Amino acid sequence: MSLSSKSSCSDSSWPSDVLDAEKQRIVQKKKEQLFALLEEEPEMHHLYSSDCDVLRSRATLGISQIQIPLAWNGEQHFKQKGESRTYSMFYTVQTKSGLFESKIIANINRLDTDVAFPESFVFQNEPDDFCIELCVYAARTDAGNDNSGSLRQRISRSFGKKFGLQVKSQLQDQRRQIPETIGGSHFNLIARCLFVLTDASEDCKIHDLKVSAFADLAGPPLYGHVLCRLVCLPHSVLHPLADGILTVRPKHSDSVFQHVRCRLQAGVLRCFVNNDVRLKPENEQTLHRIVITPGSRVTPCNLDDSVVLLIEPTTDSPMLQYILTSDSKHIADSWAKAIEHQLNDAIIWGEFAYVHTRLSLNRPREVIDGTIPRDRSSRLYDTINISGSLSKAFMGSTGYNSGLPIGLRKALADQNGGARTAPAPKKNRIRTNVKEIFKVG
C-alpha cells in the first residue's frame, strides 16, 4: 500500500462518511462541554488578573509534530502472521479556552510502525498555568470486526479468561454497562496525555500516554508514548512592553545615550536611531543593547524622573548598572513596571522569553504525514531529544554558569558584540627540516 493513501480518510471496508460523522459527534460534544465551562468561569478569557490591575503574563502556544509509535507483536509485524486488522485514528487537543481536532488517519495496519499527524495547532492568549489535554481516538475498520464475538469474549482473548469473567461479574452486580461500540467501527478514546509548561521545548520530545484499559479492542497496540513539539511565544516577545524616549547612562562607562529611542522587547532593552522619514523598522540602527537577565532588578533613584537598572552578573560579564531618565516621574514608573514584567516573564517562560520561537515547523525529512512503514532507513526514536524538560526556575541568586538557555546566551552574545560562529582557521605550522635539527659534523 502506498504511503499517500495512508493519510486519506477512506476505507473500502467502512464508509468514510460514517467515521466522519462519528468524529464530528465526539468533537461537538467536547465543544459543548467547553462552552458550558466558559459560561461558568468567564474570567478565564480576561487578560487581566482578578486581584490586581497588572497585566498577566500570557503566551501563544504551538503544538505540532504529533506522532504515536505502535507496538505490534513481532509475529504480526515482521512475519505478517495472525489476524490482520485495520484502524482509523484521530486526536483532539484542548485547553480551557480552545479545542482543535486532527484529520482522520485511515488504513493503519500491522505494517506501520508509527502514526504521524501533519497538523499544527496554535492556542492564543494562554496563561502560564495552562494545561493542554491530548485525547487519541481510534476505530477498527476492517471487515473482521463484525465476527469478533461478544464483548466478554474479546476481553477474555485480550486479558485472559479469568479477567473477562471478573468484568462480566462486576457488570452484573453493579448494573453497569461498557458500550458495545468498543472494538466496533466506532471511535473510542484509547489514550490521553496532559501537557504543561515544563513539557515545552524547542525540540520534539517523548511524553507518556495514559492508555485506556480497553485500548487494544478499538485501536492498534500502543507503546504508551507520544512524540510532539510544544513551544511558547510570550506576549513580551511578540509585542514591546515599553517604547519611548530615554536617556541611558551606563555607570561602568563614560558613554551617555542622550534622548534616544528605546524599546523593551524579548528580554532586551534596545537603544536605537532611525533616520528614515517613514520610520521603517529595517532602517533602525542599534546604539546599545541591555539584556534583562533573570535576577536583575530595577530600583528607585534619587531623581524622580529616573530609575536604576541593575543587571545580574554572568560568567561573561560583571554586574552592570544603568540610570534610565525620562521626561516625567509617570513615564519612569511605567518603564519600571515594564522591566518588572520582563523579569517576571524570564522567570516563568525561561528560554522562550528571549527568542521569537516558530509556533509550527515542517516535519523532519525522516518523518512523513500519515503512517510510517517499517522499511524506513532511520528509526524514529533515534531522532528525538529525550534529555529532559525545561525548568521554570533556571536562574540563580549569585550568578550563572555556562548552562544558560540558548536564547539568553544568544542575547548576551549580541550585547557583547556577537559571538564567533565558526572556529578560526588554524595556521599551518612550518615543519623544520630534519637536517637542521640533527646536524652532521
Side-chain angles (χ1 to χ4, degrees):
M1 182 175 294
S2 64
L3 297 178
S4 60
S5 63
K6 295 289 187 179
S7 59
S8 62
C9 179
S10 61
D11 194 293
S12 59
S13 301
W14 194 258
S16 60
D17 55 349
V18 176
L19 293 178
D20 288 335
E22 179 73 11
K23 172 192 170 185
Q24 293 304 320
R25 181 188 64 82
I26 295 174
V27 173
Q28 182 62 31
K29 183 177 180 180
K30 295 176 74 71
K31 288 182 178 180
E32 293 175 356
Q33 295 173 349
L34 178 61
F35 293 153
L37 180 63
L38 292 177
E39 291 179 357
E40 294 177 1
E41 302 180 26
E43 66 274 6
M44 289 191 302
H45 267 322
H46 290 177
L47 187 60
Y48 292 86
S49 58
S50 58
D51 54 350
C52 63
D53 59 352
V54 178
L55 190 65
R56 287 195 61 185
S57 180
R58 291 179 177 260
T60 301
L61 310 179
I63 185 168
S64 60
Q65 298 185 1
I66 292 182
Q67 193 159 327
I68 302 176
L70 305 180
W72 298 101
N73 181 279
E75 294 290 325
Q76 292 179 328
H77 180 63
F78 294 101
K79 299 183 180 180
Q80 301 185 24
K81 294 183 178 180
E83 185 181 9
S84 177
R85 301 181 181 183
T86 303
Y87 301 93
S88 293
M89 295 176 61
F90 80 96
Y91 71 85
T92 62
V93 283
Q94 176 182 352
T95 64
K96 291 182 179 180
S97 59
L99 172 69
F100 298 100
E101 78 272 6
S102 72
K103 296 179 181 179
I104 297 177
I105 302 296
N107 303 326
I108 302 170
N109 54 49
R110 62 188 179 186
L111 299 180
D112 305 314
T113 60
D114 303 84
V115 181
F117 295 90
E119 293 88 359
S120 298
F121 299 112
V122 174
F123 293 93
Q124 303 286 346
N125 196 32
E126 292 291 337
D128 59 290
D129 59 347
F130 69 87
C131 181
I132 300 179
E133 181 184 34
L134 168 71
C135 293
V136 182
Y137 295 86
R140 185 175 175 184
T141 56
D142 59 275
N145 56 20
D146 295 332
N147 301 321
S148 56
S150 65
L151 175 62
R152 183 184 67 82
Q153 291 174 343
R154 283 176 280 164
I155 295 176
S156 300
R157 289 197 299 267
S158 302
F159 298 96
K161 183 176 180 181
K162 183 178 180 180
F163 180 77
L165 293 174
Q166 292 177 353
V167 172
K168 180 182 178 181
S169 177
Q170 292 179 2
L171 292 177
Q172 292 176 348
D173 295 341
Q174 302 179 15
R175 297 182 181 277
R176 295 182 302 176
Q177 286 187 348
I178 300 178
E180 282 295 333
T181 56
I182 293 182
S185 294
H186 300 269
F187 280 114
N188 295 275
L189 177 64
I190 62 172
R192 61 193 298 266
C193 182
L194 299 178
F195 302 103
V196 294
L197 178 56
T198 52
D199 297 316
S201 174
E202 177 65 29
D203 301 322
C204 189
K205 293 175 56 178
I206 299 176
H207 307 272
D208 292 333
L209 273 177
K210 185 176 180 181
V211 182
S212 171
F214 303 99
D216 66 333
L217 299 179
L222 306 178
Y223 269 113
H225 299 93
V226 60
L227 301 93
C228 78
R229 177 180 178 268
L230 173 63
V231 295
C232 309
L233 186 59
H235 287 179
S236 59
V237 176
L238 277 174
H239 310 287
L241 292 176
D243 194 332
I245 304 298
L246 289 177
T247 297
V248 180
R249 294 182 174 87
K251 298 291 290 184
H252 57 278
S253 173
D254 295 334
S255 302
V256 177
F257 302 95
Q258 188 81 21
H259 289 92
V260 295
R261 181 82 176 272
C262 297
R263 180 180 298 143
L264 177 59
Q265 185 176 3
V268 177
L269 176 60
R270 188 166 67 96
C271 306
F272 63 94
V273 294
N274 194 338
N275 297 322
D276 185 12
V277 177
R278 290 169 292 184
L279 298 178
K280 291 184 178 181
E282 56 268 21
N283 294 325
E284 296 177 354
Q285 299 179 5
T286 301
L287 301 176
H288 192 66
R289 290 167 53 91
I290 305 174
V291 180
I292 313 296
T293 58
S296 302
R297 59 188 184 274
V298 57
T299 61
C301 184
N302 54 359
L303 301 175
D304 292 339
D305 59 352
S306 303
V307 293
V308 178
L309 175 60
L310 299 175
I311 302 300
E312 185 77 0
T314 68
T315 55
D316 299 328
S317 62
M319 169 77 76
L320 302 178
Q321 182 176 349
Y322 298 87
I323 297 180
L324 310 180
T325 303
S326 61
D327 293 336
S328 65
K329 183 179 185 302
H330 175 71
I331 298 177
D333 292 341
S334 300
W335 276 97
K337 290 182 179 180
I339 295 173
E340 290 175 353
H341 191 145
Q342 177 60 60
L343 292 171
N344 185 51
D345 275 14
I347 296 174
I348 293 175
W349 303 106
E351 176 181 347
F352 296 108
Y354 294 92
V355 292
H356 195 288
T357 307
R358 293 182 59 184
L359 294 175
S360 61
L361 289 177
N362 295 328
R363 307 195 67 87
R365 284 178 294 179
E366 292 84 359
V367 181
I368 61 170
D369 300 335
T371 53
I372 300 179
R374 67 167 183 265
D375 57 351
R376 296 305 298 268
S377 58
S378 61
R379 293 177 58 86
L380 177 64
Y381 280 103
D382 295 338
T383 63
I384 303 302
N385 177 17
I386 56 174
S387 58
S389 299
L390 177 69
S391 173
K392 286 185 182 180
F394 63 89
M395 69 289 181
S397 58
T398 59
Y400 304 92
N401 52 29
S402 59
L404 285 173
I406 186 173
L408 181 54
R409 293 202 306 268
K410 184 178 184 301
L412 289 172
D414 294 338
Q415 173 180 283
N416 296 331
R420 189 189 297 263
T421 58
K426 295 183 179 180
K427 296 182 179 180
N428 295 328
R429 297 181 60 184
I430 302 176
R431 299 181 61 182
T432 305
N433 195 318
V434 177
K435 291 182 179 181
E436 297 180 0
I437 299 176
F438 302 98
K439 293 184 178 180
V440 181

